[in-house]
């Protein structure tokens, strides 16, 4: 009775209010109630969505895809509704926590749909289809049908330029049909971003960094400038070694490097061609992790257990039993799956898992640490309010496992029984070169994927210029070129998982910088005084506790605060990375002195 009366009174009052009544009803109390409701509903909705997405990613069928598209449309519609509702409280003076939660609701939709009927469904159908085209793609090579993940292995292992070109080119035939869907997807998601008040989707993505979106764009350029000399030196040394190997015809010294010769489908990390490009003057051997794993009969499961062991040595709890029961660690033989590695927390509490098609090699050893880093982070912030169960800047999530993997030094490999004898100090440069081929070579790729998407979303690149624009960036930043003229209907960006998968990519560039910042801070905390690249904080519980304190904060505060608490600085800064590679930089600088570097 009393309740009804209140409702009637409220209604009466509302009717008598001036036109901006809605704004007046935007009270602090209503904002609190709104957030409480969203946190409860979103948690349940996300869990259902994640279980459906898991079912599809580990078993791609007509029905699981259908279910995923439906669930994805529903959650986009809800997310857009909540983002719009959050705007109602824009002008209120609220606590920083409440304001942050409202901002999170407004900013963190990767692909928004406009509110028009059917838009969210069309968008979801397109994105599910794009993802399936990528993950179920195959090529015909030497009389066999090769699935997506094995095309990556071929690019890693083949050494014949003609065969490399064949695999490289055939994989890019797969992405041609994605273009039409991608055109429509960009239209819809841009409309969605505009409805939420952004110029375009790129600006919306750049708005998620606790700073002005234009400032963020300038920030990544600043970081790139810090590491560019390192990249240029590695690029030059690799170009000369490849020229030795393949000759002037295949690797002319006055041109960008052919993209299919770098041991990776996208020329994004080059560690697998270390045997070809080890600088001539370096006598000592590096450490061939792939060979060590094979020699000791490591299995994918053993790789996972070893990576878990690193985290537990820092004081983190064992992974739960359900991790081992429910993860997909190797590729199932009897069905289509998404092989690209990922880490999940299905209930945002304890149900953490990975999904990989692990093979026993150095790349997957690294990726396993990367993925478990995600899981450890997810579990660490599970105590936060629901909207804060995330990282404060998406580079953080990607940096955790990689920061830990920097501690995979020869001393560590010996501690876990993978290496018998420690190599002499002469091995430092070869080891640094191995790490630079992955870590430093990745930087311009990490930067340009979203530079391309930003240009696509803003309309600076029109669909008929997309492929050219992609190669212009590949040449400008990476100094690489395609092995053949690209056909007019090519959609080469679609050959990379994160484009059809719609995963923003700048996070990996940031992570590459942050991982060294975190690592250096951890080494300082451990009291390490030697050269940075020899530090391993394996087994250091004190470092683990401090690290955990940062992870536990999740997204409850600006990333600058979290970074400062762990490292003492509020800025992303590549100087730790430069310090780490300094001995190699000095060496390569001398080697390259009279060479024609650049492209
Ligand atoms: O996509 C990934 C992870 C999953 S978050 C395997 N990475 C990027 C890539 O593969 O392109 C890790 C390094 C960069
Ligand atoms: Zn990741």
């Amino acid at each position: 009775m009393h309740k009804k009366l209140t409702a009637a009174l409220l209604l009466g009052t509302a009717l008598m209010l001036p036109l901006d009544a809605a704004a007046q009803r935007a009270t602090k109390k209503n904002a609190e109630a709104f957030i409480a409701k969203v946190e409860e509903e979103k948690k349940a909705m996300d869990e259902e969505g994640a279980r459906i997405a898991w079912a599809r990613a580990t078993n791609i069928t007509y029905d699981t895809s259908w279910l995923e598209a439906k669930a994805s449309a529903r959650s986009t519609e809800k997310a857009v509704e909540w983002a719009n509702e959050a705007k109602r409280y824009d002008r209120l003076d609220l606590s920083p926590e409440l304001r942050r939660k409202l901002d999170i609701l407004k900013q963190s939709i990767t692909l928004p749909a406009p509110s028009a009927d059917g838009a969210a469904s069309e968008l979801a159908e397109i994105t599910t289809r794009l993802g399936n085209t990528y993950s179920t793609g195959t090529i015909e090579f030497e009389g066999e049908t090769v699935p997506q993940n094995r095309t990556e292995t071929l690019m890693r292992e083949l050494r014949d330029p003609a065969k490399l070109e064949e695999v490289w080119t055939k994989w890019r035939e797969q992405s041609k049909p994605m273009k039409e869907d991608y055109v429509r997807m960009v239209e819809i998601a841009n409309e969605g971003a505009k409805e939420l008040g952004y110029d375009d989707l790129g600006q919306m993505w750049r708005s998620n960094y606790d700073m002005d979106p234009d400032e963020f764009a300038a920030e990544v350029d600043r970081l790139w400038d810090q590491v560019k000399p390192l990249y240029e030196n590695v690029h030059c040394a690799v170009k000369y070694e490849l020229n030795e190997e393949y000759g002037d015809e295949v690797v002319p010294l006055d041109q960008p490097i052919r993209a299919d010769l770098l041991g990776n489908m996208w020329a994004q990390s080059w560690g697998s061609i270390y045997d070809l490009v080890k600088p001539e003057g370096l006598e000592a051997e590096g450490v061939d992790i792939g060979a060590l794993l094979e020699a000791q009969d490591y299995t994918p499961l053993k790789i996972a257990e070893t990576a878990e062991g690193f985290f537990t040595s820092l004081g983190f709890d064992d992974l739960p039993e359900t991790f081992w029961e429910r993860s997909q660690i190797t590729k199932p033989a009897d069905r289509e799956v998404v092989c690209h590695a990922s880490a999940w927390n299905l209930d945002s509490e304890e149900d953490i898992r990975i999904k990989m098609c692990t093979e026993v090699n150095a790349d997957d050893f690294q990726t396993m640490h990367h993925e478990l880093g995600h899981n450890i982070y997810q579990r660490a912030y599970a105590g936060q309010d629901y909207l804060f169960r995330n990282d404060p800047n998406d580079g953080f999530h990607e940096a955790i496992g990689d920061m830990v993997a920097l501690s995979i030094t020869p001393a560590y490999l010996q501690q876990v029984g993978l290496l018998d004898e420690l190599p002499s100090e002469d091995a430092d440069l070869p080891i640094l070169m191995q790490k630079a081929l992955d870590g430093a070579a990745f930087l311009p790729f990490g930067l340009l994927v979203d530079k391309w998407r930003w240009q696509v979303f803003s309309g600076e690149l029109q669909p008929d210029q997309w492929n050219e624009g992609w190669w212009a960036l590949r040449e400008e930043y990476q100094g690489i070129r395609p092995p053949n003229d690209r056909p007019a209907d090519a959609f080469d960006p679609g050959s990379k998982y994160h484009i059809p998968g719609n995963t923003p990519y700048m996070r990996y560039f940031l992570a590459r910088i942050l991982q060294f910042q975190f690592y250096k801070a951890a080494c300082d905390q451990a009291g390490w005084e030697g050269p940075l690249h020899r530090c391993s904080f394996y087994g250091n519980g004190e470092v683990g506790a401090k690290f955990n304190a940062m992870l536990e904060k999740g997204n409850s505060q600006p990333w600058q605060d979290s970074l400062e608490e762990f490292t003492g600085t509020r800025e992303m800064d590549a100087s730790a990375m430069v310090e780490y590679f300094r001995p190699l930089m000095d060496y390569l600088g001398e080697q390259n002195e009279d060479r024609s570097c650049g492209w």
Side-chain angles (χ1 to χ4, degrees):
M1 180 69 194
H2 179 67
K3 265 193 190 148
K4 264 191 196 157
L5 188 64
T6 319
L9 274 175
L10 275 176
L11 190 64
T13 331
L15 287 174
M16 285 185 309
L17 284 172
L19 279 177
D20 63 343
Q24 289 187 22
R25 273 188 269 119
T27 59
K28 186 167 172 247
K29 222 170 143 209
N30 286 348
E32 276 164 1
F34 166 62
I35 286 295
K37 177 194 81 167
V38 170
E39 290 200 303
E40 192 184 323
E41 277 183 31
K42 187 166 162 50
K43 183 173 191 292
M45 180 181 81
D46 289 351
E47 178 171 353
E48 188 175 329
R51 294 196 187 282
I52 292 170
W54 176 269
R56 170 197 159 262
T58 57
N59 184 14
I60 304 177
T61 67
Y62 176 82
D63 293 320
T64 56
S65 305
W66 188 94
L67 282 167
E68 187 192 62
K70 278 269 182 288
S72 156
R74 271 198 311 269
S75 59
T76 302
E77 275 165 4
K78 266 287 167 201
V80 169
E81 184 191 310
W82 288 330
N84 279 312
E85 207 172 332
K87 281 200 260 174
R88 291 183 42 213
Y89 305 100
D90 274 354
R91 279 176 291 157
L92 281 186
D93 189 17
L94 301 169
S95 70
E97 290 74 30
L98 201 51
R99 174 58 60 211
R100 191 165 181 81
K101 287 181 180 176
L102 290 163
D103 286 345
I104 288 170
L105 283 181
K106 286 190 299 180
Q107 283 155 359
S108 36
I109 311 174
T110 305
L111 280 188
S115 40
D117 260 1
S121 298
E122 188 185 355
L123 184 64
E125 278 160 26
I126 289 175
T127 54
T128 300
R129 191 160 55 232
L130 282 170
N132 284 355
T133 304
Y134 182 91
S135 290
T136 63
T138 58
I139 65 164
E140 293 302 317
F141 180 68
E142 297 187 330
E144 282 186 34
T145 302
V146 183
Q148 185 279 323
N149 68 316
R150 300 295 296 178
T151 63
E152 290 187 48
T153 316
L154 288 173
M155 293 306 294
R156 199 164 27 227
E157 291 175 358
L158 288 171
R159 293 291 182 260
D160 173 346
K163 288 185 182 171
L164 283 164
E165 178 177 351
E166 185 183 341
V167 174
W168 188 97
T169 308
K170 283 183 171 165
W171 179 245
R172 278 152 184 82
E173 288 293 310
Q174 293 300 304
S175 44
K176 284 183 178 177
M178 292 175 185
K179 180 157 173 188
E180 202 184 318
D181 267 339
Y182 205 82
V183 170
R184 182 70 188 128
M185 188 199 82
V186 170
E187 269 170 19
I188 301 175
N190 258 340
E191 257 181 73
K194 283 182 186 143
E195 244 188 54
L196 290 171
Y198 298 91
D199 293 346
D200 64 75
L201 184 59
Q203 193 201 40
M204 185 164 170
W205 284 11
R206 292 189 298 277
S207 296
N208 231 344
Y209 293 93
D210 293 304
M211 59 167 73
D212 176 86
D214 291 340
E215 255 176 61
F216 176 69
E219 189 68 356
V220 295
D221 287 338
R222 179 182 68 77
L223 293 167
W224 169 235
D225 281 340
Q226 278 188 287
V227 291
K228 208 166 150 198
L230 173 63
Y231 180 72
E232 286 169 342
N233 270 304
V234 174
H235 180 280
C236 192
V238 165
K239 184 175 71 175
Y240 272 76
E241 297 300 333
L242 286 178
N243 171 274
E244 282 279 305
E245 174 74 21
Y246 293 123
D248 287 340
E249 183 110 354
V250 179
V251 187
L253 290 171
D254 59 353
Q255 281 194 39
I257 304 174
R258 236 176 77 169
D260 54 338
L261 304 178
L262 290 157
N264 175 277
M265 180 60 88
W266 309 276
Q268 68 179 64
S269 50
W270 310 344
S272 56
I273 55 159
Y274 175 75
D275 58 321
L276 296 187
V277 302
K278 178 180 168 191
E280 227 169 67
L282 296 179
E283 295 302 327
E285 293 297 320
V287 174
D288 185 343
I289 294 185
L292 295 177
L293 296 170
E294 265 181 45
Q296 300 220 5
D297 293 328
Y298 263 57
T299 59
L301 189 63
K302 181 102 194 270
I303 291 180
E305 286 165 354
T306 306
E308 179 198 27
F310 202 114
F311 287 97
T312 51
S313 89
L314 299 176
F316 290 96
D317 289 344
D318 289 350
L319 293 167
E321 264 318 299
T322 53
F323 172 93
W324 303 104
E325 288 159 17
R326 297 173 190 168
S327 286
Q328 175 200 296
I329 293 178
T330 52
K331 187 177 182 189
D334 57 346
R335 52 186 199 261
E336 305 262 31
V337 301
V338 178
C339 266
H340 189 84
S342 52
W344 304 52
N345 186 351
L346 285 95
D347 62 357
S348 72
E349 305 285 344
E350 269 277 317
D351 192 354
I352 47 180
R353 321 173 190 175
I354 56 164
K355 180 191 59 56
M356 282 180 67
C357 298
T358 315
E359 298 193 8
V360 180
N361 60 44
D363 274 1
D364 280 359
F365 191 65
Q366 166 84 22
T367 302
M368 187 63 78
H369 289 79
H370 177 95
E371 297 308 332
L372 289 196
H374 283 307
N375 278 158
I376 297 291
Y377 201 175
Q378 288 160 340
R379 191 176 54 182
Y381 57 57
Q384 288 287 344
D385 289 353
Y386 188 69
L387 285 169
F388 291 152
R389 292 184 202 178
N390 206 341
D391 53 0
N393 146 345
D394 57 8
F396 278 50
H397 236 300
E398 301 303 336
I400 305 310
D402 290 359
M403 170 256 201
V404 158
L406 284 176
S407 272
I408 302 176
T409 55
Y412 164 75
L413 292 170
Q414 194 189 36
Q415 272 171 299
V416 297
L418 268 165
L419 193 64
D420 285 341
E421 260 177 62
L422 278 188
S424 74
E425 284 185 14
D426 296 350
D428 277 23
L429 286 175
I431 292 171
L432 277 174
M433 185 69 186
Q434 285 175 312
K435 298 236 181 196
L437 288 173
D438 283 328
F442 177 79
L443 290 159
F445 184 76
L447 184 70
L448 74 82
V449 173
D450 278 357
K451 284 208 176 253
W452 180 79
R453 270 193 289 215
W454 294 351
Q455 291 176 4
V456 164
F457 295 149
S458 74
E460 186 184 334
L461 282 177
Q462 288 298 308
D464 62 341
Q465 304 164 308
W466 281 356
N467 215 51
E468 263 166 64
W470 171 255
W471 282 106
L473 289 165
R474 294 270 265 170
E475 176 167 341
E476 179 185 350
Y477 287 96
Q478 285 186 281
I480 63 167
R481 65 187 165 92
N484 46 44
D485 286 340
R486 304 307 298 139
D489 60 345
F491 181 54
D492 293 336
S495 73
K496 176 69 195 161
Y497 171 80
H498 303 68
I499 299 294
N502 286 300
T503 308
Y505 211 80
M506 199 56 85
R507 56 183 64 175
Y508 301 107
F509 174 76
L510 301 177
R512 207 43 61 115
I513 310 282
L514 285 168
Q515 75 178 88
F516 286 91
Q517 253 181 297
F518 293 154
Y519 171 75
K520 182 176 161 61
C523 293
D524 285 348
Q525 289 161 16
W528 176 256
E529 282 177 355
L532 190 54
H533 63 274
R534 268 192 235 144
C535 156
S536 173
F537 50 82
Y538 177 67
N540 191 317
E542 238 170 275
V543 167
K546 286 197 180 126
F547 197 45
N548 185 48
M550 176 174 82
L551 302 187
E552 274 179 358
K553 289 270 169 78
N555 190 13
S556 64
Q557 62 186 21
W559 62 263
Q560 291 89 339
D561 294 347
S562 292
L563 186 66
E564 186 173 26
E565 284 163 19
F566 189 67
T567 69
T569 163
R570 301 183 61 78
E571 286 218 320
M572 290 188 274
D573 175 15
S575 55
M577 184 171 195
V578 172
E579 178 187 338
Y580 183 94
F581 286 113
R582 171 66 57 199
L584 180 72
M585 261 294 274
D586 292 345
Y587 177 79
L588 293 181
E590 271 173 39
Q591 292 275 305
N592 293 334
E593 210 178 313
D594 299 320
R595 288 173 165 175
S596 114
C597 293
W599 49 86

